């Protein structure tokens, strides 16, 4: 699908991305000045998840055709997300997309047990962080030795993030935690937890069986993040092109990896399955291994 540029913006659909970034800054700022409000805070939690997806998309295909605007967006995402954008390169592009949830993927869900339940989803971000941050440290070390200019740019992102937290905590610790840091941590949790939703109980050894796909309302709200097979197959495709690409692959994906919506999946697998064993998720990886052994 061809892009639809708007000035220096690579595709005009990223007006939605820019809207989310601006709205999050406004919600945090207005609550800081005028006090906590439940509707605004809940909207901020949602936007924190959206910004984690924007970060993901921007890392794969920069939003702008101009380097300066892309760098400014990197810094804006760093401030609003509460973590440097540079970490996506070693953890996601060089690791997860290269190995597609296989044995060399540091974030593979079955590394921590081949399960798919609420406790596994809740713990996966913590487990994955411990697993992948050594990759970040080693990568930054190589960048510092071989590309000092790039390393200074990444160091600036870390400095900006830590300075923003330090300044806000110094001004008002309670407001900083409630209005800024908690939403940021919520968004970062979902950024890593999405890996569990998309890959737990999938089969990395199957050509199109390595990822679960979510259709429905999730996609227009969160930049087609549910159409994961198409994204893996076309990592440099703009997120707006994923529905058309998904239709191309849909017939080749195991029906058990096609979900009509995220909410009903969470209700069935995480909430009802512990009470109703028939609804429990089954490992396609383990099933494939058993069938192969049985032949």
């Amino acid at each position: 699908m061809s892009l639809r540029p708007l000035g220096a913006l690579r595709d005009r659909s990223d007006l939605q991305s820019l809207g989310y970034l601006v709205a999050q800054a406004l919600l945090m700022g207005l609550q800081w000045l005028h006090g906590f409000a439940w509707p605004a805070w809940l909207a901020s939690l949602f936007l924190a998840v959206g910004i984690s997806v924007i970060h993901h998309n921007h890392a794969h295909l920069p939003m702008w055709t101009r380097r300066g605007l892309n760098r400014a967006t990197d810094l804006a995402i760093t401030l609003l997300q509460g973590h440097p954008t540079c970490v996506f390169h070693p953890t996601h592009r060089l690791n997860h997309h290269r190995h597609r949830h296989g044995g060399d993927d540091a974030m593979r869900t079955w590394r921590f047990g081949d399960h798919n339940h609420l406790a596994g989803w809740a713990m996966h971000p913590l487990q994955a962080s411990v697993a992948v941050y050594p990759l970040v440290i080693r990568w930054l070390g190589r960048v510092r030795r071989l590309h000092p200019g790039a390393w200074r740019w990444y160091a600036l992102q870390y400095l900006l993030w830590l300075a923003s937290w330090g300044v806000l905590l110094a001004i008002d610790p309670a407001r900083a935690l409630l209005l800024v840091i908690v939403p940021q941590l919520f968004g970062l949790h979902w950024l890593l937890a999405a890996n569990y939703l998309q890959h737990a109980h999938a089969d990395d050894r199957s050509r199109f069986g390595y990822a679960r796909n979510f259709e429905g309302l999730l996609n227009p709200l969160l930049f087609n993040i549910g159409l994961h097979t198409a994204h893996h197959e076309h990592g440099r495709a703009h997120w707006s092109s994923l529905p058309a690409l998904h239709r191309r692959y849909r017939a080749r994906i195991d029906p058990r990896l096609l979900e009509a919506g995220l909410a009903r999946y969470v209700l069935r697998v995480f909430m009802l399955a512990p009470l109703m064993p028939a609804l429990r998720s089954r490992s396609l990886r383990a099933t494939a291994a058993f069938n192969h052994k049985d032949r």
Side-chain angles (χ1 to χ4, degrees):
M1 178 181 291
S2 59
L3 295 172
R4 302 164 300 155
L6 181 65
L9 197 63
R10 199 176 297 274
D11 189 276
R12 64 189 61 199
S13 58
D14 270 316
L15 290 172
Q16 180 183 353
S17 306
L18 296 176
Y20 279 31
L21 294 171
V22 171
Q24 181 71 310
L26 288 174
L27 284 176
M28 288 180 171
L30 289 172
Q31 288 185 97
W32 188 281
L33 293 173
H34 301 291
F36 174 85
W38 274 108
W41 190 75
L42 292 174
S44 186
L45 293 183
F46 167 75
L47 288 171
V49 176
I51 288 170
S52 74
V53 182
I54 293 167
H55 174 197
H56 167 269
N57 296 337
H58 182 64
H60 276 282
L61 183 66
M63 196 180 303
W64 307 91
T65 57
R66 297 178 185 171
R67 183 184 184 191
L69 290 172
N70 283 321
R71 288 205 159 191
T73 302
D74 285 339
L75 296 181
I77 293 172
T78 293
L79 281 172
L80 290 170
Q81 182 179 240
H83 201 276
T85 62
C86 63
V87 299
F88 238 62
H89 187 64
T91 61
H92 190 73
R93 292 171 62 188
L94 297 182
N95 170 58
H96 181 59
H97 266 257
R98 177 176 292 176
H99 302 301
R100 292 189 179 186
H101 199 237
D104 293 324
D105 184 350
M107 292 183 64
R108 62 194 184 275
T109 59
W110 51 273
R111 176 178 187 168
F112 314 107
D114 192 10
H115 47 63
N116 188 15
H117 48 58
L118 183 60
W121 170 81
M123 288 298 297
H124 183 74
L126 303 176
Q127 296 167 326
S129 296
V130 172
V132 301
Y133 230 89
L135 299 179
V136 177
I137 294 171
R138 289 195 296 270
W139 175 75
L140 286 173
R142 288 195 301 272
V143 171
R144 185 176 186 179
R145 291 192 306 272
L146 302 175
H147 307 285
W151 183 84
R152 287 192 293 270
W153 167 241
Y154 301 146
L156 174 63
Q157 293 182 18
Y158 273 94
L159 178 63
L160 189 66
W161 160 47
L162 294 174
S164 69
W165 277 18
V167 168
L168 293 175
L169 287 168
I171 295 172
D172 190 322
R175 277 192 292 183
L177 285 170
L178 178 62
L179 302 179
V180 178
I181 295 175
V182 167
Q184 289 175 339
L185 293 178
F186 182 81
L188 289 169
H189 181 280
W190 270 92
L191 176 66
L192 292 169
N195 184 65
Y196 192 87
L197 294 169
Q198 292 161 335
H199 294 286
H201 275 179
D203 182 8
D204 57 280
R205 293 166 296 190
S206 172
R207 177 64 185 89
F208 294 108
Y210 54 81
R212 181 174 290 103
N213 293 266
F214 297 94
E215 300 168 335
L217 186 60
L218 171 74
N219 293 303
L221 290 175
L222 291 176
F223 312 97
N224 296 322
I225 193 63
L227 308 180
H228 205 52
T229 299
H231 168 63
H232 265 280
E233 296 297 319
H234 302 271
R236 290 282 293 175
H238 192 271
W239 62 267
S240 63
S241 68
L242 292 180
L245 291 170
H246 175 68
R247 289 191 291 271
R248 186 186 305 175
Y249 290 103
R250 196 179 190 280
R252 289 183 274 178
I253 299 171
D254 190 312
R256 292 170 292 182
L257 295 173
L258 293 170
E259 295 290 338
L262 176 62
R264 67 178 69 183
Y265 172 82
V266 169
L267 177 64
R268 184 183 80 246
V269 175
F270 292 165
M271 304 302 178
L272 296 180
L275 306 175
M276 305 171 67
L279 298 179
R280 289 177 186 169
S281 175
R282 301 288 186 265
S283 171
L284 301 187
R285 195 174 196 277
T287 301
F290 177 82
N291 291 340
H292 179 76
K293 182 179 179 180
D294 197 48
R295 285 198 295 267

